[in-house]
Amino acid sequence: MPELSQETERGRTVPPFGRAEVTGPSMVPTLHHGDWLLVQYGARIRPGDVVVLRHPFQQDLLVVKRAAERREGGWWVLGDNAYAGGDSTDYGTVPEELVLAKVWFRYRPLKKDQRSPLALARWALSAARPVLSDRSASRRFRAR
């Protein structure tokens, strides 16, 4: 995933929007490996939003998770794929300052084997769509 930052570089401010690439299976079925994301830095985060954050123990590693609920000390974040791990069940609450951006939109690139007109039509209908907040995230959290 490319580097995301809210900091200024040499007196320039970072644009409010950026993009990031998804790696790994932790957000399946919402996001898949290889998806590209349009993110907004500094956006207001609410429970259910998909966010980009710095890993609490490896801050050079960026991860994409769903903000499940706000707790004392930050956000409790979960992956949509409960079997992939790598979320707050492993590392606890994520401090607010490590949550960098809110995900608004995802784009799936065209695969090399998608050459037939039917495959292209299916890709065109599903390649780009908004990443919606899932207000049931806190219900999934309580079920764990």
Side-chain angles (χ1 to χ4, degrees), residues 22 24-33 35-37 48-51 64-66 78-81 103-108 126-127 129-134 140:
V22 176
S26 71
M27 288 299 291
V28 170
T30 305
L31 304 172
H32 295 272
H33 181 82
D35 285 354
W36 282 92
L37 307 175
D49 289 343
V50 176
V51 297
V64 178
K65 299 294 177 199
R66 191 173 299 276
L78 298 172
D80 285 359
N81 180 353
V103 176
W104 284 101
F105 201 76
R106 73 114 168 107
Y107 168 80
R108 291 191 177 144
S126 68
R129 51 176 65 153
V131 176
L132 303 174
S133 294
D134 181 4
R140 280 198 317 274

Side-chain angles (χ1 to χ4, degrees), residues 53-61 63 75 77 86-88 90-95 98:
L53 56 113
R54 292 192 185 279
H55 191 284
F57 302 138
Q58 297 175 293
Q59 293 189 12
D60 59 334
L61 176 65
V63 293
W75 282 96
V77 297
D87 55 22
S88 286
D90 294 329
Y91 47 73
T93 304
V94 177
L98 296 182

Side-chain angles (χ1 to χ4, degrees), residues 100-119:
L100 302 177
K102 178 178 177 176
V103 176
W104 284 101
F105 201 76
R106 73 114 168 107
Y107 168 80
R108 291 191 177 144
L110 184 64
K111 295 179 183 171
K112 293 177 184 173
D113 62 343
Q114 290 177 310
R115 297 184 192 272
S116 73
L118 181 59

